[in-house]
Amino acid sequence: MTATARRLLTVGAAQMGPIARDDTRAEVVTRLLDLLHQAADAGCALVAYPELALTTFFPRWYTDDIAGHDHYYETEMPNASTQPLFDEAKRLGIGFSLGYAELTDDGHRYNTTVLVERDGSIVAKYRKVHIPGHEGDEPWREFQHLERRYFEESSDGFPVWDAFGGRIGMATCNDRRWPETYRVMGLQGVEMILIGYNTPIHYAPDPSQDRLQGFHNHLVMQAGAYQNGTWVVGVAKGGNEEGVESLAESAIIAPSGEIVAEATTDGDELIVADADLDWCAAYKETLFDFARYRRPEMYTRITAQKGVER
Ligand code: CDT
């Protein structure tokens, strides 16, 4: 009997250090290309870049008129600035996910990630579902977290796509803290979830959580991976960006929940893992055999109710 070849996907998490307010798109794309070339040398077929990978994390600043931040958004993807990345990735036969601020023709604003296949074709765009932070200026904070001012909540949910020889899903930053994010994709057989993030270390509503940022980051992604039998690739934009310290600690997590690769710096750094997509079945077909063991009729509150009801 001949053994069936396992589906191996060599994946890179291309962590980024800070992007300054005045950095041009061209300067940023040069950094993305450098990381892409490192990924090519490491044999990657897929590279995940962070959330809002083309600009500084602008929701830290309040503007009365939202249009004052329009220059941080992309109206097309690819566009003139990012085309060199798309072209080079296609030439190298590497796919990638890239987070950016999207402004649509009809004026909608989303925190978006595009997934591009190895042949340069666009697989999908994922728009962030869970938008954290606040809508209005809160001057008492050391810095703002105005995602709820600058982005709409997407209503597209959490689809997964057949790509890269597996079932691929995406989520963005705060999405990773919600178990429903992973489970909705788990119920579609997801085998790898790509998650970009910008997580300030300081959490103004409860600074006692600051020292736990790294712990919570890994906790939620490791649990999501294990409980759904999926790879999770978490990739940060970290370091001190415009005076705000952000978490790095990018990690590639196996379906066992174990971290198999982790960044050691808070700057531009590529980490790589040979992800065996067939390993997912070891969890999906045993402890987490959903069809056999789940009790959805016991979980109706999860979709019927939003906040706590006593
Ligand atoms: N980008 C993003 O979603 N960041 C949030 C920060 C905490 S909420 C102010 C996160 O969940 O990491």
Side-chain angles (χ1 to χ4, degrees):
M1 211 165 76
T2 52
T4 318
R6 294 182 79 87
R7 291 172 302 141
L8 281 185
L9 176 57
T10 303
V11 62
Q15 177 177 285
M16 299 182 74
I19 298 176
R21 187 178 199 145
D22 296 330
D23 286 352
T24 64
R25 297 288 200 286
E27 286 168 328
V28 175
V29 169
T30 299
R31 289 167 58 187
L32 299 178
L33 284 166
D34 183 43
L35 288 159
L36 184 75
H37 289 133
Q38 292 178 43
D41 291 343
C44 292
L46 170 61
V47 175
Y49 292 108
E51 173 192 37
L52 299 179
L54 295 172
T55 63
T56 199
F57 191 78
F58 61 88
R60 73 170 64 93
W61 295 301
Y62 177 81
T63 49
D64 257 338
D65 180 5
I66 291 175
H69 274 0
D70 274 0
H71 57 288
Y72 290 119
Y73 292 77
E74 316 299 319
T75 52
E76 293 179 301
M77 189 56 66
N79 54 36
S81 303
T82 56
Q83 193 64 55
L85 175 68
F86 279 70
D87 290 345
E88 186 65 353
K90 180 176 175 182
R91 189 185 73 78
L92 294 167
I94 300 177
F96 63 93
S97 62
L98 177 74
Y100 63 98
E102 176 189 14
L103 177 55
T104 67
D105 289 346
D106 50 355
H108 294 283
R109 296 165 192 273
Y110 297 105
N111 188 334
T112 298
T113 300
V114 64
L115 179 63
V116 181
E117 254 289 9
R118 293 155 287 187
D119 64 0
S121 60
I122 291 181
V123 177
K125 287 179 183 167
Y126 166 74
R127 291 166 170 164
K128 188 172 181 177
V129 167
H130 299 99
I131 306 293
H134 49 109
E135 291 85 359
D137 195 19
E138 296 189 2
W140 60 270
R141 293 173 182 256
E142 279 177 34
F143 53 88
Q144 306 295 301
H145 197 105
L146 287 156
E147 281 197 67
R148 292 185 71 82
R149 183 172 190 81
Y150 298 119
F151 298 117
E152 291 173 40
E153 295 171 330
S154 154
S155 298
D156 298 339
F158 295 101
V160 306
W161 297 274
D162 288 318
F164 298 93
R167 297 275 282 171
I168 311 295
M170 293 184 274
T172 304
C173 196
N174 189 261
D175 288 326
R176 76 194 188 289
R177 302 188 191 273
W178 302 92
E180 295 85 351
T181 296
Y182 306 88
R183 183 48 51 88
V184 167
M185 290 189 264
L187 284 165
Q188 300 167 80
V190 76
E191 295 174 315
M192 181 176 284
I193 303 176
L194 310 172
I195 305 178
Y197 60 89
N198 283 260
T199 294
I201 302 286
H202 178 55
Y203 183 58
D206 178 16
S208 76
Q209 296 178 30
D210 295 3
R211 73 177 181 86
L212 299 168
Q213 289 291 359
F215 167 63
H216 289 156
N217 178 47
H218 288 166
L219 176 72
V220 292
M221 295 195 295
Q222 290 181 258
Y226 167 63
Q227 292 171 341
N228 294 280
T230 181
W231 288 86
V232 170
V233 179
V235 57
K237 175 144 64 65
N240 191 308
E241 192 179 82
E242 298 290 352
V244 176
E245 201 62 50
S246 287
L247 185 71
E249 299 185 24
S250 300
I252 302 176
I253 300 156
S256 59
E258 295 166 289
I259 293 175
V260 298
E262 184 177 349
T264 56
T265 72
D266 61 3
D268 289 11
E269 179 182 350
L270 181 80
I271 59 172
V272 177
D274 291 321
D276 177 357
L277 299 178
D278 289 318
W279 192 1
C280 300
Y283 289 86
K284 291 183 191 297
E285 293 173 6
T286 59
L287 262 170
F288 296 110
D289 181 344
F290 291 170
R292 183 169 186 191
Y293 297 119
R294 285 184 78 248
R295 299 290 311 283
E297 68 280 16
M298 297 291 111
Y299 315 146
T300 52
R301 277 184 187 273
I302 287 181
T303 53
Q305 191 175 316
K306 186 169 179 182
V308 173
E309 290 176 20
R310 293 176 194 278

